[in-house]
Amino acid sequence: MLFFQYMNLHAIIESAEIRYKQILEEFFISVYDEKTLPSHGIHHHRRVWNYSKELITSLEEQKKFTDPRLPENLIIASYLHDIGMSVDPGIKHGHHSKDLCKQFLRNNNLSESRYEVLLTAIENHDNKEYQNTTGEFDLMTILSVADDLDAFGFTGIYRYSEIYLTRGINREELGHLIIKNVTQRFDNFVKTFGSIEPIFLKYKERYIILKEFFEKYNLEAPSYHSDTQIPTGYCGIIEMLIKMIANKKGLNEIYAEAENNSDDMVIKTFFKELKSEINATKAQSH
């Protein structure tokens, strides 16, 4: 605690970034193939780190931040929690992320025994039953919530769709399963950060964007025939994302297709908002 008294949180975060950010990004890029699952690539991990900083800064403002060692563990966890998707995009990716984190520690002469809490958090971060939550603002809690915040908004619609479709979830179940999962995430967010009004209101709005999208998708899905019509509406957006995955296209190609080849305002508006949201968060990462 004496260390924390002489260094403010901003300085501790800056010190962690100076020490780790570049080597974490270099390691991630050397391992992860962005074409395989771009929604969980380096930009996702940069955003999670930014969300993590936002959360712990809000805790300091509420006099609830007390662990000066947290930013060091948190930046590593933020950058490596989903790196295991490069091995397996399924529910066991946390285990592979843990193993790759161990490799990162070895590569940089960092003692594995010193980072046991970090490794546990990475392995279990995707437990959306929240059975391991302690009620404290510890590494696991902050990492899990920061990861959840990137599942909201237009970015969340894209990311959820890509990972669920990659895992073989069919179109009829897609919207229902996403709403169930994101509601668990939002409920946990409310439980942990709901008392901090600026944070709560900001991410409640993004949660509503995603939830309402898939509610409308669910209404369209029973009568939507993807094999006989040009993509339209909310189901048409998912149709375009399916083709993006199958053809390993990038988002920029889909943006151009939506802008130039679609007369559907739901599709045009969605991809315009997605592009704007992702570009805004990219700018915040630098």
Side-chain angles (χ1 to χ4, degrees):
M1 291 302 298
L2 185 62
F3 173 74
F4 188 57
Q5 291 173 2
Y6 286 96
M7 288 189 72
N8 63 34
L9 179 58
H10 176 77
I12 297 172
I13 290 173
E14 185 176 33
S15 176
E17 289 188 323
I18 290 170
R19 182 176 181 186
Y20 292 105
K21 188 173 183 180
Q22 182 175 341
I23 59 174
L24 282 165
E25 293 209 357
E26 289 174 353
F27 178 76
F28 186 95
I29 292 168
S30 73
V31 170
Y32 195 95
D33 182 0
E34 292 278 344
K35 292 181 180 179
T36 301
L37 200 66
S39 65
H40 287 69
I42 189 67
H43 294 298
H44 163 61
H45 292 77
R46 287 170 177 161
R47 290 193 299 267
V48 171
W49 171 231
N50 283 338
Y51 292 136
S52 296
K53 290 189 289 183
E54 184 178 11
L55 291 173
I56 59 177
T57 299
S58 72
L59 291 177
E60 185 196 36
E61 292 169 354
Q62 299 286 317
K63 311 299 183 186
K64 296 179 180 179
F65 181 85
T66 58
D67 184 1
R69 299 163 298 180
L70 181 58
E72 177 184 349
N73 281 327
L74 196 50
I75 190 172
I76 299 173
S78 295
Y79 269 96
L80 300 184
H81 69 281
D82 275 346
I83 195 172
M85 293 273 191
S86 61
V87 180
D88 179 1
I91 59 175
K92 295 183 179 180
H93 70 272
H95 172 75
H96 299 294
S97 296
K98 175 184 176 181
D99 287 343
L100 286 164
C101 183
K102 288 181 179 180
Q103 182 181 327
F104 169 81
L105 295 175
R106 289 194 298 270
N107 290 356
N108 291 280
N109 299 313
L110 299 170
S111 171
E112 186 178 315
S113 61
R114 183 185 167 194
Y115 293 93
E116 290 181 2
V117 173
L118 165 69
L119 294 168
T120 298
I122 287 177
E123 183 171 24
N124 296 291
H125 77 278
D126 208 36
N127 168 29
K128 299 311 173 187
E129 300 297 328
Y130 302 100
Q131 295 171 346
N132 296 324
T133 56
T134 63
E136 300 178 1
F137 294 110
D138 56 12
L139 176 64
M140 174 73 82
T141 299
I142 303 297
L143 174 64
S144 185
V145 172
D147 188 36
D148 290 348
L149 295 182
D150 205 41
F152 301 160
F154 294 95
T155 303
I157 294 166
Y158 154 62
R159 293 189 59 246
Y160 259 120
S161 298
E162 187 185 69
I163 190 63
Y164 273 42
L165 292 166
T166 298
R167 290 175 178 175
I169 302 298
N170 66 52
R171 301 178 203 190
E172 292 74 22
E173 294 180 288
L174 182 70
H176 299 287
L177 292 177
I178 289 173
I179 289 174
K180 178 182 177 181
N181 186 275
V182 79
T183 299
Q184 290 174 316
R185 292 176 186 243
F186 183 71
D187 288 348
N188 182 65
F189 166 66
V190 172
K191 183 175 70 175
T192 50
F193 284 90
S195 63
I196 304 177
E197 187 172 7
I199 294 283
F200 168 71
L201 293 176
K202 176 180 179 180
Y203 292 106
K204 178 184 178 182
E205 181 179 351
R206 294 188 64 209
Y207 161 71
I208 290 171
I209 287 171
L210 182 139
K211 186 170 180 285
E212 289 184 346
F213 176 95
F214 283 107
E215 287 173 343
K216 292 172 182 176
Y217 170 84
N218 289 339
L219 291 174
E220 286 186 0
S223 59
Y224 187 83
H225 300 289
S226 60
D227 55 344
T228 60
Q229 59 189 86
I230 296 171
T232 60
Y234 298 91
C235 289
I237 292 166
I238 301 302
E239 184 75 13
M240 293 176 70
L241 293 176
I242 289 171
K243 291 178 181 177
M244 182 190 80
I245 296 166
N247 298 322
K248 294 190 180 298
K249 290 183 177 181
L251 269 179
N252 286 334
E253 295 175 83
I254 303 301
Y255 295 152
E257 185 178 335
E259 183 177 349
N260 299 325
N261 301 325
S262 177
D263 295 324
D264 187 280
M265 287 309 298
V266 172
I267 290 176
K268 279 184 176 292
T269 300
F270 171 80
F271 284 105
K272 180 181 178 181
E273 294 289 349
L274 175 62
K275 182 178 181 180
S276 176
E277 191 173 276
I278 286 181
N279 286 346
T281 53
K282 281 182 181 179
Q284 293 168 7
S285 299
H286 296 285

